[in-house]
Amino acid sequence: MRLYCFGESGHSYKVAQAMDIMGIAWDPEHVNFFNGEARGPEFRKLNPMGECPVLVDGDLTLTQSGLILDYLVEKSGLLSADNATDRREIQRWILWDNHKMSGVVGMLRFLMNFLPEEKRPAEVIAFTAGRAKAAFKILDGHLQGRDFVATNALTTADLSCASYLYYPEPFTFDRAAYPNIDRWLDRIAEQPGWKHPYDLMRRAFPPNA
């Protein structure tokens, strides 16, 4: 499998982490996102949405991290559940994450860290930070008395919801303020095969980085 990705992408990290934990071999194809490669005509042939990650498995090309995670579960039989109710719960949290948390946190982290300082929109950052805080509160409350998000074991829902929360750049998230999330992140990091984002995604850095 080939994963079109870049090291700073939390959505790419979700997929890369899942493949490593599942024991699926993959090769990175670095996408120079910050210089506009994802919006260029060649990449748009691969993914008209102009986004990472993109997974290529033989003749099959998949985009959107949630869909890719579902495909990896189907292919490996791992990080899922053995009944329909739990599988729906996994999908519910992946959809929530993409809409309410990763989609918000990813933008917030970009605005606060990867835009030139003079171009960072203070009002947009403040609004987005409020939405992120609401998502953190929901997740922390849900994890009260629970080991994992969707079932009693690690699933792709955990990897999806946790991905951006391991990145070191500031984006208003303080683990100490959310003790249930804090314990959950430690629990995920104890799983065999887990790696910190920039340790795992080092393979997806530019060749000379």
Side-chain angles (χ1 to χ4, degrees):
M1 292 189 188
R2 287 182 293 144
L3 183 67
Y4 288 79
C5 57
F6 57 102
E8 297 85 355
S9 166
H11 288 289
S12 297
Y13 172 57
K14 299 174 187 184
V15 174
Q17 185 71 92
M19 288 193 288
D20 266 21
I21 290 176
M22 291 171 172
I24 297 173
W26 62 280
D27 293 313
E29 295 284 349
H30 177 256
V31 177
N32 195 340
F33 179 85
F34 294 107
N35 282 335
E37 183 180 352
R39 298 184 296 278
E42 288 305 312
F43 187 84
R44 293 278 187 167
K45 292 177 185 177
L46 185 69
N47 181 10
M49 297 176 182
E51 298 174 339
C52 289
V54 178
L55 183 74
V56 177
D57 185 14
D59 294 332
L60 180 65
T61 298
L62 296 175
T63 69
Q64 298 298 312
S65 62
L67 177 65
I68 296 171
L69 290 174
D70 186 67
Y71 173 72
L72 296 175
V73 165
E74 178 185 311
K75 195 172 182 72
S76 70
L78 301 173
L79 299 184
S80 185
D82 57 6
N83 64 82
T85 298
D86 284 349
R87 288 194 296 271
R88 283 192 293 268
E89 186 69 357
I90 291 168
Q91 288 300 314
R92 184 170 80 100
W93 280 100
I94 289 175
L95 290 169
W96 175 84
D97 168 62
N98 278 264
H99 180 52
K100 294 291 188 179
M101 195 163 72
S102 284
V104 174
V105 169
M107 181 172 67
L108 180 60
R109 176 170 160 263
F110 176 80
L111 294 175
M112 291 180 65
N113 297 276
F114 299 114
L115 276 183
E117 189 169 353
E118 67 276 9
K119 294 184 178 180
R120 295 174 187 173
E123 290 185 359
V124 175
I125 288 173
F127 174 79
T128 309
R131 290 178 62 85
K133 184 177 181 180
F136 300 150
K137 285 184 176 179
I138 288 172
L139 181 61
D140 193 68
H142 174 71
L143 286 167
Q144 177 69 41
R146 301 181 60 93
D147 288 342
F148 298 101
V149 165
T151 72
N152 60 3
L154 182 76
T155 70
T156 50
D158 297 286
L159 300 184
S160 186
C161 291
S163 63
Y164 276 99
L165 304 185
Y166 288 111
Y167 276 94
E169 297 86 7
F171 52 90
T172 75
F173 175 63
D174 177 6
R175 283 179 61 158
Y178 304 98
N180 298 316
I181 292 178
D182 183 52
R183 288 189 291 269
W184 168 70
L185 291 174
D186 283 342
R187 193 171 297 116
I188 295 172
E190 293 169 355
Q191 303 298 308
W194 182 90
K195 294 185 182 71
H196 186 274
Y198 285 140
D199 292 335
L200 174 59
M201 300 304 291
R202 194 169 303 280
R203 295 168 59 191
F205 288 173
N208 297 320

